[in-house]
Amino acid sequence: MNPEEFRQAGHELIDWIADHRSQIENLPVRAQVEPGEVRSKFSTTPPEKISKAGELLEQLQQNIVPGITQVQHPMHFGWFPSNASLSSVLGDIASSGLGTLGISWESCPALTEVEEVVCDWMRQLVGLSDAWEGCIQDTASTACLTALLVARERASTFSENRGGLQAEPKPLVVYTTEEAHSSVIKAALLSGFGRDNVRLVAMVPHDRSMSTAALSEMIQQDIENGCVPAAIVASVGSTGVTAFDPIESMAEIASVHGIWLHVDAAMAGSAMLLPECRQLWQGVESADSISWNPHKWMGTILDCSLLYLRNPEELIRVMSTNPSYLRSKVDNEVNQFRDWGIPLGRRFRALKLWYQLELEGVEAIQNRLRRDLENALWFKNIVDNTEHWEVVAPVKLQTVCIRHVPPMLSGETLEAHTMRWVSAINQSGVAFMSPAKLNGSWMVRVSIGVAATTRDHISALWETIQKEVAVSLEK
Ligand SMILES: *Cc1c(COP(=O)(O)O)cnc(C)c1O
């Protein structure tokens, strides 16, 4: 494809995307396809003839769109907001179109330096001090794995240069809670700690935050048993019930024992754009690493996870490779982001953040976040004030966890009722929510925060819920 052909096909594609986004409300939220249905629309062998770009647009419309759960749909209340602001999409397109290669500063100085700039802008926007330095990772999962690899190496005085973990005399231990995201446990396992050395610290029952008394006790016991406490992973806004671990007191415990403290604020980091929310991560300045995802509520198109470190030197020491073909004479003057994580090649992801901040504006983003917080409280109050309904966890941000508890149902019949009404709504395509287990019992998470969701949509959701609950009770 030459640039002129690209120009024409590109204009058509942008028009198509704009139409798709403006008509998204007419689509079902959840993909209405059976397993294998999308695949069956495609030839099992590679294409033999060349298509026109316009033909692909038709296929996008007919074969791909039906296979998409529309998370930009205003009636999407599932998982978490995965906003993909069109301003950031433009930055993403610019990034792809430029065709850059980020493997060293020299391979694209602009990629490195704009990433430094936007990471520092974002640092200021969430109120972190200038003691932090950041980089962009693909996801919070990778950021947590990266942090735990550094924690492992620090706790083992850089065992990677000897026999690795396999030669360590004492087991290294990681602490988190049952509320932590599944990616935290995965990161602990992948970084070699082993399941036997992952401690799930007891939680405060009311809000499922980590109990620091239990943490202290566990650490003490581990030390007495000849283990080395290596890392604590704190959840700032857990996925399940938006639990906030007490960072300040956890950091005190971590510093006494020289334990790495990683803060997973993947979802709630966006809230820190609002000064009034920052008490939720009070003490964060004393952590060793923080990650959060602009690619969730804030609305930067996936993938864009920020990882901040107080001392990047330790990270660089763990990750650094320096083959001769990548060395250059400016090595001591510049950042080599390949040494800040696992991949060598990186995309120019800073452009999508830059585009979003410049075109959307910080104030507009903040206003949208505040709107969502107000909508969540408004919805919580409605549920709270409706007979036989419960809000089953404190509403700290934009997620409201609810359960319908009619007097005649309990135990298994109540479980079945919950799953019946939420599944019926999800299957209908009218709205989408995520059921989740809390203390062994089903509840439904209503995660508010899609950019297109207004209060009217939440009213419509509540009406739909009332209707389906009544239908379920007749069954
Ligand atoms: C979404 C989420 C993650 C995982 O994020 P990815 O970027 O998809 O890896 C981790 N932790 C929390 C608290 C999350 O909400």
Side-chain angles (χ1 to χ4, degrees):
M1 175 171 276
N2 66 38
E4 276 314 312
E5 290 164 339
F6 173 80
R7 189 190 309 280
Q8 187 171 349
H11 280 277
E12 284 175 27
L13 176 62
I14 297 277
D15 280 342
W16 183 85
I17 293 171
D19 288 343
H20 170 73
R21 286 294 189 98
S22 54
Q23 290 158 23
I24 207 162
E25 204 162 342
N26 303 327
L27 296 169
V29 186
R30 196 178 83 173
Q32 306 283 304
V33 294
E34 296 301 322
E37 197 174 324
V38 176
R39 184 198 283 215
S40 72
K41 301 271 170 56
F42 288 79
S43 159
T44 53
T45 52
E48 279 166 9
K49 66 167 188 59
I50 289 170
S51 296
K52 296 239 167 2
E55 292 168 346
L56 292 193
L57 287 183
E58 273 168 38
Q59 285 199 40
L60 272 176
Q61 191 69 51
Q62 280 164 24
N63 299 339
I64 305 286
V65 170
I68 297 174
T69 292
Q70 303 292 347
V71 295
Q72 310 307 324
H73 194 297
M75 296 298 281
H76 165 61
F77 299 95
W79 308 303
F80 46 79
S82 182
N83 289 317
S85 74
L86 288 171
S87 54
S88 74
V89 169
L90 284 179
D92 207 35
I93 292 173
S95 162
S96 295
L98 285 168
T100 54
L101 171 65
I103 56 173
S104 65
W105 177 85
E106 194 174 30
S107 76
C108 188
L111 184 155
T112 300
E113 297 188 11
V114 179
E115 187 162 328
E116 290 167 352
V117 169
V118 295
C119 287
D120 202 58
W121 286 354
M122 294 308 299
R123 171 190 69 72
Q124 296 171 50
L125 286 174
V126 296
L128 292 173
S129 79
D130 62 8
W132 296 92
E133 278 184 74
C135 61
I136 304 177
Q137 303 270 334
D138 54 3
T139 59
S141 307
T142 306
C144 185
L145 172 61
T146 303
L148 286 186
L149 290 170
V150 188
R152 181 191 78 191
E153 289 308 303
R154 187 167 86 179
S156 66
T157 58
F158 294 85
S159 64
E160 69 175 2
N161 297 320
R162 305 186 304 272
L165 265 196
Q166 303 191 68
E168 284 305 287
K170 295 175 169 183
L172 271 50
V173 180
V174 180
Y175 304 84
T176 191
T177 70
E178 192 189 301
E179 261 300 298
H181 193 267
S182 57
S183 61
V184 173
I185 308 297
K186 183 171 174 177
L189 299 185
L190 290 180
S191 48
F193 288 93
R195 203 177 285 277
D196 292 348
N197 302 305
V198 177
R199 302 275 181 271
L200 296 180
V201 181
M203 299 176 291
V204 177
H206 160 70
D207 62 4
R208 296 177 69 81
S209 64
M210 185 184 281
S211 152
T212 43
L215 175 67
S216 282
E217 215 168 286
M218 258 183 169
I219 290 174
Q220 212 50 54
Q221 212 153 55
D222 278 326
I223 294 172
E224 280 166 27
N225 292 340
C227 300
V228 178
I232 305 170
V233 181
S235 302
V236 161
S238 66
T239 309
V241 299
T242 333
F244 286 82
D245 287 341
I247 308 295
E248 193 153 38
S249 45
M250 289 164 76
E252 276 168 31
I253 297 169
S255 83
V256 169
H257 301 281
I259 304 172
W260 187 283
L261 177 60
H262 176 68
V263 172
D264 174 15
M267 168 61 210
S270 299
M272 305 310 167
L273 289 161
L274 307 177
E276 65 269 28
C277 288
R278 291 185 196 148
Q279 91 283 351
L280 288 168
W281 72 0
Q282 183 90 37
V284 73
E285 284 291 324
S286 308
D288 293 281
S289 53
I290 305 168
S291 74
W292 73 275
N293 290 350
H295 73 222
K296 283 183 168 167
W297 193 15
M298 181 177 140
T300 315
I301 175 78
L302 253 170
D303 53 351
C304 187
S305 185
L306 295 169
L307 173 64
Y308 289 92
L309 294 118
R310 276 194 90 84
N311 183 6
E313 287 312 313
E314 290 167 314
L315 170 65
I316 292 167
R317 188 168 159 195
V318 172
M319 296 287 167
S320 174
T321 55
N322 210 3
S324 55
Y325 67 89
L326 288 174
R327 269 177 237 151
S328 80
K329 69 178 190 316
V330 297
D331 279 355
N332 296 328
E333 301 163 42
V334 297
N335 266 331
Q336 300 292 5
F337 277 130
R338 65 170 182 268
D339 297 339
W340 289 58
I342 297 163
L344 168 60
R346 61 202 295 114
R347 282 167 48 78
F348 202 156
R349 285 178 296 219
L351 287 181
K352 52 195 175 189
L353 265 175
W354 178 58
Y355 254 76
Q356 189 190 0
L357 292 174
E358 294 279 2
L359 296 183
E360 203 170 323
V362 174
E363 207 179 307
I365 298 171
Q366 288 172 322
N367 289 343
R368 176 165 58 74
L369 299 174
R370 287 197 176 102
R371 173 203 68 175
D372 297 339
L373 290 173
E374 284 166 17
N375 280 344
L377 278 185
W378 178 80
F379 182 63
K380 170 199 178 286
N381 282 331
I382 289 181
V383 179
D384 260 344
N385 291 316
T386 307
E387 213 179 16
H388 310 318
W389 278 91
E390 288 174 354
V391 176
V392 296
V395 177
K396 299 271 179 75
L397 291 179
Q398 41 53 260
T399 302
V400 186
C401 299
I402 63 174
R403 188 184 290 134
H404 183 232
V405 195
M408 59 285 205
L409 298 184
S410 66
E412 280 310 305
T413 55
L414 178 61
E415 299 298 300
H417 170 62
T418 305
M419 287 312 281
R420 212 161 38 229
W421 69 256
V422 70
S423 304
I425 294 172
N426 289 349
Q427 273 167 23
S428 74
V430 170
F432 185 80
M433 293 161 282
S434 305
K437 281 222 163 157
L438 177 62
N439 296 323
S441 202
W442 286 107
M443 53 90 170
V444 176
R445 294 172 64 258
V446 179
S447 174
I448 293 167
V450 173
T453 304
T454 64
R455 193 163 291 187
D456 287 345
H457 294 106
I458 304 167
S459 288
L461 175 73
W462 185 232
E463 260 177 50
T464 303
I465 291 175
Q466 298 297 316
K467 241 185 273 164
E468 284 303 335
V469 158
V471 172
S472 165
L473 286 179
E474 282 163 20
K475 290 196 172 153

